[in-house]
Amino acid sequence: MKSQGLIVAGACALMIAGCTNNPYTGEEQAGKSATYGGIGALAGAAIGAATSSSDDRAKGALIGAAVGGAAGGGYGYYVDKQEQRLRQELTGTGVQVIRNGDTLQLVMPGNITFASGSSDIASSFYPTLNSLVKVFKEFDQNGINIVGHTDSTGSQELNMRLSRERATSVASYLSGQGVSGARISSAGVGPSQPIASNDTEAGRAQNRRVEITLRQL
């Protein structure tokens, strides 16, 4: 058992020392993802050693460390860099950038995206969309899921249609500017997912929004 522990520890040390370049960006890996990669390597090495025969335990630990380290650090570092670029590009635009693990969410309130009751993109919102296009082209390793939301004013049918059309408008603009359509999906959910009370104008304004969620392909 002691030798197994030394094998696993040695495998992890080799993995952590050797993994200096990120597979998604080609840059030297640092920050939070380095920790994630080290944890992944540790877990992978332990599993690799435990599931291998006695003769192949060292080899199993090394393979497990490689797989675990790449999974734990690679995409996490990619998201670190993408989040940094999005925050830089979207400062002062009114768009919120929310990080949840390795998922990024962009919340675009209705007052800066569309006129009331319309699915035509507001002219003042095009510069913000162009900033998104620039980042989405630079970071092209994740899917782009666009969802339109409305408040509860008006009929369900109207709100569902409006939310779908608004999400489609954003998706069409992104693809028209060269973002791969294979990465993009769009949907409308009407008033079914409020983030504030529909009993006040301030709450309804928050519920009228478009959200873009970025996840690993």
Side-chain angles (χ1 to χ4, degrees):
M1 293 297 292
K2 183 177 180 181
S3 62
Q4 292 178 25
L6 290 173
I7 291 170
V8 171
C12 292
L14 288 171
M15 177 63 194
I16 295 169
C19 252
T20 57
N21 289 332
N22 185 271
Y24 290 91
T25 65
E27 297 180 9
E28 186 171 334
Q29 197 159 291
K32 291 181 287 185
S33 57
T35 301
Y36 300 152
I39 293 171
L42 178 61
I47 293 170
T51 56
S52 301
S53 67
S54 58
D55 292 338
D56 292 331
R57 192 158 284 123
K59 181 179 179 181
L62 287 170
I63 293 173
V67 173
Y75 189 67
Y77 178 75
Y78 180 87
V79 177
D80 289 348
K81 302 298 287 184
Q82 187 177 33
E83 179 187 9
Q84 182 182 11
R85 288 286 289 115
L86 284 168
R87 292 190 184 281
Q88 178 184 11
E89 289 289 335
L90 297 175
T91 298
T93 65
V95 177
Q96 297 179 60
V97 181
I98 301 171
R99 174 82 177 264
N100 183 14
D102 284 344
T103 297
L104 291 171
Q105 186 178 58
L106 310 176
V107 180
M108 301 175 286
N111 65 312
I112 66 171
T113 52
F114 299 94
S116 178
S118 173
S119 60
D120 295 330
I121 295 171
S123 58
S124 59
F125 192 57
Y126 283 114
T128 300
L129 286 178
N130 289 335
S131 294
L132 291 181
V133 167
K134 179 166 44 173
V135 177
F136 291 165
K137 286 182 176 179
E138 181 180 348
F139 293 85
D140 60 358
Q141 298 299 311
N142 41 28
I144 303 167
N145 181 36
I146 304 167
V147 178
H149 302 261
T150 67
D151 61 31
S152 61
T153 305
S155 69
Q156 176 74 7
E157 180 182 1
L158 171 64
N159 284 324
M160 289 298 297
R161 177 179 59 80
L162 185 60
S163 64
R164 284 195 301 267
E165 290 177 353
R166 287 178 168 179
T168 299
S169 292
V170 173
S172 297
Y173 186 80
L174 295 178
S175 61
Q177 297 301 306
V179 179
S180 172
R183 299 173 57 198
I184 301 173
S185 64
S186 65
V189 296
S192 65
Q193 298 177 19
I195 57 174
S197 171
N198 278 304
D199 294 333
T200 66
E201 176 52 40
R204 290 190 293 272
Q206 291 183 63
N207 292 332
R208 297 190 296 267
R209 68 199 191 278
V210 173
E211 296 180 349
I212 296 180
T213 302
L214 305 174
R215 294 189 179 94
Q216 187 175 11
L217 286 170

